[in-house]
PDB file of all heavy atoms in Angstrom:
ATOM      1  N   ARG A 281      -5.128  11.914   3.078  1.00 97.00           N
ATOM      2  CA  ARG A 281      -4.776  10.988   4.166  1.00 97.00           C
ATOM      3  C   ARG A 281      -3.310  10.570   4.096  1.00 97.00           C
ATOM      4  O   ARG A 281      -2.790  10.038   5.074  1.00 97.00           O
ATOM      5  CB  ARG A 281      -5.672   9.743   4.132  1.00 97.00           C
ATOM      6  CG  ARG A 281      -7.166  10.068   4.210  1.00 97.00           C
ATOM      7  CD  ARG A 281      -7.976   8.778   4.005  1.00 97.00           C
ATOM      8  NE  ARG A 281      -7.668   8.183   2.720  1.00 97.00           N
ATOM      9  CZ  ARG A 281      -7.881   6.876   2.422  1.00 97.00           C
ATOM     10  NH1 ARG A 281      -8.389   6.063   3.318  1.00 97.00           N
ATOM     11  NH2 ARG A 281      -7.583   6.445   1.218  1.00 97.00           N
ATOM     12  N   GLY A 282      -2.719  10.689   2.920  1.00 98.00           N
ATOM     13  CA  GLY A 282      -1.332  10.218   2.723  1.00 98.00           C
ATOM     14  C   GLY A 282      -1.190   9.660   1.307  1.00 98.00           C
ATOM     15  O   GLY A 282      -1.647  10.272   0.349  1.00 98.00           O
ATOM     16  N   SER A 283      -0.566   8.514   1.190  1.00 98.00           N
ATOM     17  CA  SER A 283      -0.367   7.903  -0.147  1.00 98.00           C
ATOM     18  C   SER A 283      -0.282   6.382  -0.014  1.00 98.00           C
ATOM     19  O   SER A 283      -0.073   5.832   1.060  1.00 98.00           O
ATOM     20  CB  SER A 283       0.951   8.402  -0.767  1.00 98.00           C
ATOM     21  OG  SER A 283       2.079   7.980  -0.047  1.00 98.00           O
ATOM     22  N   PHE A 284      -0.560   5.772  -1.190  1.00 98.00           N
ATOM     23  CA  PHE A 284      -0.442   4.294  -1.300  1.00 98.00           C
ATOM     24  C   PHE A 284       0.242   4.005  -2.648  1.00 98.00           C
ATOM     25  O   PHE A 284      -0.222   4.468  -3.693  1.00 98.00           O
ATOM     26  CB  PHE A 284      -1.853   3.664  -1.264  1.00 98.00           C
ATOM     27  CG  PHE A 284      -1.801   2.163  -1.362  1.00 98.00           C
ATOM     28  CD1 PHE A 284      -1.621   1.386  -0.228  1.00 98.00           C
ATOM     29  CD2 PHE A 284      -1.975   1.526  -2.607  1.00 98.00           C
ATOM     30  CE1 PHE A 284      -1.605  -0.001  -0.284  1.00 98.00           C
ATOM     31  CE2 PHE A 284      -1.937   0.146  -2.685  1.00 98.00           C
ATOM     32  CZ  PHE A 284      -1.782  -0.644  -1.537  1.00 98.00           C
ATOM     33  N   THR A 285       1.334   3.261  -2.578  1.00 98.00           N
ATOM     34  CA  THR A 285       2.175   3.021  -3.769  1.00 98.00           C
ATOM     35  C   THR A 285       2.473   1.540  -3.892  1.00 98.00           C
ATOM     36  O   THR A 285       3.013   0.909  -2.993  1.00 98.00           O
ATOM     37  CB  THR A 285       3.497   3.774  -3.678  1.00 98.00           C
ATOM     38  OG1 THR A 285       3.259   5.183  -3.444  1.00 98.00           O
ATOM     39  CG2 THR A 285       4.300   3.590  -4.955  1.00 98.00           C
ATOM     40  N   GLU A 286       2.037   0.975  -4.995  1.00 97.00           N
ATOM     41  CA  GLU A 286       2.359  -0.439  -5.290  1.00 97.00           C
ATOM     42  C   GLU A 286       3.844  -0.518  -5.739  1.00 97.00           C
ATOM     43  O   GLU A 286       4.223   0.203  -6.660  1.00 97.00           O
ATOM     44  CB  GLU A 286       1.419  -0.977  -6.361  1.00 97.00           C
ATOM     45  CG  GLU A 286       1.551  -2.489  -6.554  1.00 97.00           C
ATOM     46  CD  GLU A 286       0.527  -3.000  -7.564  1.00 97.00           C
ATOM     47  OE1 GLU A 286      -0.454  -2.306  -7.842  1.00 97.00           O
ATOM     48  OE2 GLU A 286       0.777  -4.126  -8.084  1.00 97.00           O
ATOM     49  N   LEU A 287       4.635  -1.435  -5.115  1.00 96.00           N
ATOM     50  CA  LEU A 287       6.024  -1.589  -5.443  1.00 96.00           C
ATOM     51  C   LEU A 287       6.231  -2.637  -6.525  1.00 96.00           C
ATOM     52  O   LEU A 287       6.918  -2.434  -7.516  1.00 96.00           O
ATOM     53  CB  LEU A 287       6.818  -1.955  -4.212  1.00 96.00           C
ATOM     54  CG  LEU A 287       6.932  -0.923  -3.090  1.00 96.00           C
ATOM     55  CD1 LEU A 287       7.862  -1.420  -2.017  1.00 96.00           C
ATOM     56  CD2 LEU A 287       7.424   0.396  -3.630  1.00 96.00           C
ATOM     57  N   LEU A 288       5.707  -3.831  -6.297  1.00 95.00           N
ATOM     58  CA  LEU A 288       5.846  -4.908  -7.272  1.00 95.00           C
ATOM     59  C   LEU A 288       4.832  -5.951  -7.111  1.00 95.00           C
ATOM     60  O   LEU A 288       4.183  -6.096  -6.027  1.00 95.00           O
ATOM     61  CB  LEU A 288       7.298  -5.554  -7.172  1.00 95.00           C
ATOM     62  CG  LEU A 288       7.725  -6.072  -5.781  1.00 95.00           C
ATOM     63  CD1 LEU A 288       7.310  -7.503  -5.573  1.00 95.00           C
ATOM     64  CD2 LEU A 288       9.293  -5.960  -5.703  1.00 95.00           C
ATOM     65  N   ARG A 289       4.676  -6.732  -8.182  1.00 95.00           N
ATOM     66  CA  ARG A 289       3.756  -7.880  -8.159  1.00 95.00           C
ATOM     67  C   ARG A 289       4.572  -9.112  -8.479  1.00 95.00           C
ATOM     68  O   ARG A 289       5.461  -9.071  -9.315  1.00 95.00           O
ATOM     69  CB  ARG A 289       2.667  -7.690  -9.219  1.00 95.00           C
ATOM     70  CG  ARG A 289       1.708  -6.568  -8.872  1.00 95.00           C
ATOM     71  CD  ARG A 289       0.575  -6.493  -9.874  1.00 95.00           C
ATOM     72  NE  ARG A 289      -0.426  -5.515  -9.480  1.00 95.00           N
ATOM     73  CZ  ARG A 289      -1.765  -5.595  -9.804  1.00 95.00           C
ATOM     74  NH1 ARG A 289      -2.161  -6.603 -10.534  1.00 95.00           N
ATOM     75  NH2 ARG A 289      -2.588  -4.689  -9.408  1.00 95.00           N
ATOM     76  N   LEU A 290       4.262 -10.186  -7.826  1.00 91.00           N
ATOM     77  CA  LEU A 290       4.928 -11.456  -8.041  1.00 91.00           C
ATOM     78  C   LEU A 290       3.950 -12.423  -8.691  1.00 91.00           C
ATOM     79  O   LEU A 290       2.811 -12.511  -8.258  1.00 91.00           O
ATOM     80  CB  LEU A 290       5.457 -12.042  -6.719  1.00 91.00           C
ATOM     81  CG  LEU A 290       6.306 -11.071  -5.906  1.00 91.00           C
ATOM     82  CD1 LEU A 290       6.592 -11.622  -4.536  1.00 91.00           C
ATOM     83  CD2 LEU A 290       7.615 -10.814  -6.627  1.00 91.00           C
ATOM     84  N   GLU A 291       4.408 -13.177  -9.716  1.00 85.00           N
ATOM     85  CA  GLU A 291       3.487 -14.010 -10.478  1.00 85.00           C
ATOM     86  C   GLU A 291       2.683 -14.974  -9.583  1.00 85.00           C
ATOM     87  O   GLU A 291       1.513 -15.257  -9.885  1.00 85.00           O
ATOM     88  CB  GLU A 291       4.249 -14.789 -11.539  1.00 85.00           C
ATOM     89  CG  GLU A 291       4.596 -13.927 -12.767  1.00 85.00           C
ATOM     90  CD  GLU A 291       5.072 -14.769 -13.923  1.00 85.00           C
ATOM     91  OE1 GLU A 291       5.416 -15.961 -13.704  1.00 85.00           O
ATOM     92  OE2 GLU A 291       5.139 -14.223 -15.044  1.00 85.00           O
ATOM     93  N   LYS A 292       3.323 -15.481  -8.574  1.00 87.00           N
ATOM     94  CA  LYS A 292       2.627 -16.488  -7.747  1.00 87.00           C
ATOM     95  C   LYS A 292       2.630 -16.130  -6.230  1.00 87.00           C
ATOM     96  O   LYS A 292       2.227 -16.905  -5.405  1.00 87.00           O
ATOM     97  CB  LYS A 292       3.256 -17.852  -7.898  1.00 87.00           C
ATOM     98  CG  LYS A 292       3.125 -18.420  -9.327  1.00 87.00           C
ATOM     99  CD  LYS A 292       3.616 -19.840  -9.426  1.00 87.00           C
ATOM    100  CE  LYS A 292       3.394 -20.413 -10.794  1.00 87.00           C
ATOM    101  NZ  LYS A 292       3.867 -21.818 -10.932  1.00 87.00           N
ATOM    102  N   CYS A 293       3.096 -14.904  -5.921  1.00 90.00           N
ATOM    103  CA  CYS A 293       3.249 -14.597  -4.493  1.00 90.00           C
ATOM    104  C   CYS A 293       2.731 -13.200  -4.165  1.00 90.00           C
ATOM    105  O   CYS A 293       3.265 -12.538  -3.296  1.00 90.00           O
ATOM    106  CB  CYS A 293       4.739 -14.688  -4.074  1.00 90.00           C
ATOM    107  SG  CYS A 293       5.428 -16.309  -4.295  1.00 90.00           S
ATOM    108  N   GLY A 294       1.655 -12.763  -4.814  1.00 95.00           N
ATOM    109  CA  GLY A 294       0.975 -11.535  -4.409  1.00 95.00           C
ATOM    110  C   GLY A 294       1.648 -10.250  -4.778  1.00 95.00           C
ATOM    111  O   GLY A 294       2.322 -10.199  -5.826  1.00 95.00           O
ATOM    112  N   GLN A 295       1.495  -9.231  -3.948  1.00 97.00           N
ATOM    113  CA  GLN A 295       2.053  -7.918  -4.289  1.00 97.00           C
ATOM    114  C   GLN A 295       2.541  -7.253  -3.034  1.00 97.00           C
ATOM    115  O   GLN A 295       2.103  -7.548  -1.899  1.00 97.00           O
ATOM    116  CB  GLN A 295       1.003  -7.052  -4.983  1.00 97.00           C
ATOM    117  CG  GLN A 295      -0.142  -6.564  -4.102  1.00 97.00           C
ATOM    118  CD  GLN A 295      -1.125  -5.707  -4.878  1.00 97.00           C
ATOM    119  OE1 GLN A 295      -1.522  -6.064  -5.976  1.00 97.00           O
ATOM    120  NE2 GLN A 295      -1.493  -4.582  -4.308  1.00 97.00           N
ATOM    121  N   VAL A 296       3.460  -6.272  -3.214  1.00 98.00           N
ATOM    122  CA  VAL A 296       4.019  -5.521  -2.093  1.00 98.00           C
ATOM    123  C   VAL A 296       3.740  -4.016  -2.366  1.00 98.00           C
ATOM    124  O   VAL A 296       3.968  -3.556  -3.483  1.00 98.00           O
ATOM    125  CB  VAL A 296       5.543  -5.759  -2.009  1.00 98.00           C
ATOM    126  CG1 VAL A 296       6.125  -4.952  -0.824  1.00 98.00           C
ATOM    127  CG2 VAL A 296       5.853  -7.230  -1.837  1.00 98.00           C
ATOM    128  N   SER A 297       3.320  -3.302  -1.316  1.00 98.00           N
ATOM    129  CA  SER A 297       3.002  -1.909  -1.448  1.00 98.00           C
ATOM    130  C   SER A 297       3.536  -1.157  -0.247  1.00 98.00           C
ATOM    131  O   SER A 297       3.866  -1.722   0.790  1.00 98.00           O
ATOM    132  CB  SER A 297       1.496  -1.713  -1.539  1.00 98.00           C
ATOM    133  OG  SER A 297       0.951  -2.467  -2.575  1.00 98.00           O
ATOM    134  N   ILE A 298       3.603   0.159  -0.389  1.00 98.00           N
ATOM    135  CA  ILE A 298       3.989   1.042   0.707  1.00 98.00           C
ATOM    136  C   ILE A 298       2.844   2.009   0.971  1.00 98.00           C
ATOM    137  O   ILE A 298       2.341   2.706   0.059  1.00 98.00           O
ATOM    138  CB  ILE A 298       5.268   1.891   0.350  1.00 98.00           C
ATOM    139  CG1 ILE A 298       6.477   0.992   0.217  1.00 98.00           C
ATOM    140  CG2 ILE A 298       5.497   3.000   1.413  1.00 98.00           C
ATOM    141  CD1 ILE A 298       6.992   0.433   1.511  1.00 98.00           C
ATOM    142  N   ASN A 299       2.418   2.060   2.249  1.00 98.00           N
ATOM    143  CA  ASN A 299       1.355   2.917   2.696  1.00 98.00           C
ATOM    144  C   ASN A 299       1.926   4.004   3.581  1.00 98.00           C
ATOM    145  O   ASN A 299       2.623   3.692   4.549  1.00 98.00           O
ATOM    146  CB  ASN A 299       0.262   2.150   3.368  1.00 98.00           C
ATOM    147  CG  ASN A 299      -0.892   3.021   3.772  1.00 98.00           C
ATOM    148  OD1 ASN A 299      -1.693   3.435   2.946  1.00 98.00           O
ATOM    149  ND2 ASN A 299      -0.971   3.345   5.081  1.00 98.00           N
ATOM    150  N   ILE A 300       1.598   5.254   3.323  1.00 98.00           N
ATOM    151  CA  ILE A 300       2.026   6.388   4.167  1.00 98.00           C
ATOM    152  C   ILE A 300       0.778   7.069   4.664  1.00 98.00           C
ATOM    153  O   ILE A 300      -0.064   7.536   3.863  1.00 98.00           O
ATOM    154  CB  ILE A 300       2.927   7.372   3.420  1.00 98.00           C
ATOM    155  CG1 ILE A 300       4.183   6.662   2.936  1.00 98.00           C
ATOM    156  CG2 ILE A 300       3.310   8.529   4.355  1.00 98.00           C
ATOM    157  CD1 ILE A 300       5.111   7.539   2.080  1.00 98.00           C
ATOM    158  N   SER A 301       0.624   7.153   5.991  1.00 98.00           N
ATOM    159  CA  SER A 301      -0.539   7.775   6.585  1.00 98.00           C
ATOM    160  C   SER A 301      -0.122   9.049   7.343  1.00 98.00           C
ATOM    161  O   SER A 301       0.874   9.044   8.075  1.00 98.00           O
ATOM    162  CB  SER A 301      -1.211   6.828   7.615  1.00 98.00           C
ATOM    163  OG  SER A 301      -1.709   5.679   6.979  1.00 98.00           O
ATOM    164  N   LYS A 302      -0.878  10.111   7.103  1.00 98.00           N
ATOM    165  CA  LYS A 302      -0.619  11.371   7.776  1.00 98.00           C
ATOM    166  C   LYS A 302      -0.982  11.242   9.270  1.00 98.00           C
ATOM    167  O   LYS A 302      -1.685  10.296   9.669  1.00 98.00           O
ATOM    168  CB  LYS A 302      -1.424  12.493   7.163  1.00 98.00           C
ATOM    169  CG  LYS A 302      -1.044  12.803   5.678  1.00 98.00           C
ATOM    170  CD  LYS A 302       0.369  13.351   5.602  1.00 98.00           C
ATOM    171  CE  LYS A 302       0.677  13.751   4.181  1.00 98.00           C
ATOM    172  NZ  LYS A 302       2.074  14.244   4.056  1.00 98.00           N
ATOM    173  N   PRO A 303      -0.465  12.154  10.135  1.00 98.00           N
ATOM    174  CA  PRO A 303      -0.772  12.090  11.583  1.00 98.00           C
ATOM    175  C   PRO A 303      -2.314  12.036  11.845  1.00 98.00           C
ATOM    176  O   PRO A 303      -3.069  12.776  11.220  1.00 98.00           O
ATOM    177  CB  PRO A 303      -0.154  13.385  12.111  1.00 98.00           C
ATOM    178  CG  PRO A 303       0.974  13.686  11.149  1.00 98.00           C
ATOM    179  CD  PRO A 303       0.476  13.231   9.808  1.00 98.00           C
ATOM    180  N   GLY A 304      -2.675  11.134  12.740  1.00 98.00           N
ATOM    181  CA  GLY A 304      -4.065  11.004  13.204  1.00 98.00           C
ATOM    182  C   GLY A 304      -4.970  10.310  12.214  1.00 98.00           C
ATOM    183  O   GLY A 304      -6.165  10.107  12.506  1.00 98.00           O
ATOM    184  N   ILE A 305      -4.468   9.851  11.048  1.00 98.00           N
ATOM    185  CA  ILE A 305      -5.316   9.267  10.023  1.00 98.00           C
ATOM    186  C   ILE A 305      -5.542   7.766  10.283  1.00 98.00           C
ATOM    187  O   ILE A 305      -4.672   7.036  10.719  1.00 98.00           O
ATOM    188  CB  ILE A 305      -4.702   9.458   8.630  1.00 98.00           C
ATOM    189  CG1 ILE A 305      -4.715  10.927   8.247  1.00 98.00           C
ATOM    190  CG2 ILE A 305      -5.357   8.619   7.578  1.00 98.00           C
ATOM    191  CD1 ILE A 305      -6.130  11.470   8.092  1.00 98.00           C
ATOM    192  N   THR A 306      -6.800   7.337  10.003  1.00 98.00           N
ATOM    193  CA  THR A 306      -7.150   5.884  10.023  1.00 98.00           C
ATOM    194  C   THR A 306      -7.409   5.429   8.574  1.00 98.00           C
ATOM    195  O   THR A 306      -8.078   6.065   7.810  1.00 98.00           O
ATOM    196  CB  THR A 306      -8.445   5.660  10.851  1.00 98.00           C
ATOM    197  OG1 THR A 306      -8.198   6.100  12.178  1.00 98.00           O
ATOM    198  CG2 THR A 306      -8.837   4.203  10.829  1.00 98.00           C
ATOM    199  N   LYS A 307      -6.769   4.337   8.267  1.00 98.00           N
ATOM    200  CA  LYS A 307      -6.958   3.726   6.947  1.00 98.00           C
ATOM    201  C   LYS A 307      -7.430   2.268   7.069  1.00 98.00           C
ATOM    202  O   LYS A 307      -7.189   1.650   8.111  1.00 98.00           O
ATOM    203  CB  LYS A 307      -5.688   3.749   6.089  1.00 98.00           C
ATOM    204  CG  LYS A 307      -5.310   5.110   5.547  1.00 98.00           C
ATOM    205  CD  LYS A 307      -4.129   5.019   4.558  1.00 98.00           C
ATOM    206  CE  LYS A 307      -3.815   6.324   3.903  1.00 98.00           C
ATOM    207  NZ  LYS A 307      -2.747   6.182   2.891  1.00 98.00           N
ATOM    208  N   GLY A 308      -8.054   1.774   6.027  1.00 97.00           N
ATOM    209  CA  GLY A 308      -8.550   0.393   6.024  1.00 97.00           C
ATOM    210  C   GLY A 308     -10.017   0.331   6.256  1.00 97.00           C
ATOM    211  O   GLY A 308     -10.748   0.786   5.366  1.00 97.00           O
ATOM    212  N   GLU A 309     -10.424  -0.228   7.383  1.00 98.00           N
ATOM    213  CA  GLU A 309     -11.851  -0.395   7.703  1.00 98.00           C
ATOM    214  C   GLU A 309     -12.567  -1.239   6.624  1.00 98.00           C
ATOM    215  O   GLU A 309     -13.581  -0.921   6.056  1.00 98.00           O
ATOM    216  CB  GLU A 309     -12.577   0.949   7.762  1.00 98.00           C
ATOM    217  CG  GLU A 309     -11.947   1.964   8.710  1.00 98.00           C
ATOM    218  CD  GLU A 309     -12.217   1.652  10.197  1.00 98.00           C
ATOM    219  OE1 GLU A 309     -12.249   0.482  10.550  1.00 98.00           O
ATOM    220  OE2 GLU A 309     -12.347   2.641  10.970  1.00 98.00           O
TER     221      GLU A 309
END
């Protein structure tokens, strides 16, 4: 479907990630 990459985590403010979806792909649900 593509890729999912975690970039960083913050001690008190969650996390940031990059999601790449291929053409026509649905993610989540």
Side-chain angles (χ1 to χ4, degrees):
R281 302 173 302 158
S283 66
F284 181 85
T285 305
E286 189 176 341
L287 294 185
L288 55 86
R289 294 184 172 207
L290 306 170
E291 282 192 345
K292 295 186 177 181
C293 299
Q295 71 180 48
V296 181
S297 307
I298 293 290
N299 182 75
I300 300 177
S301 299
K302 296 293 184 183
I305 291 296
T306 299
K307 286 189 175 183
E309 306 285 35

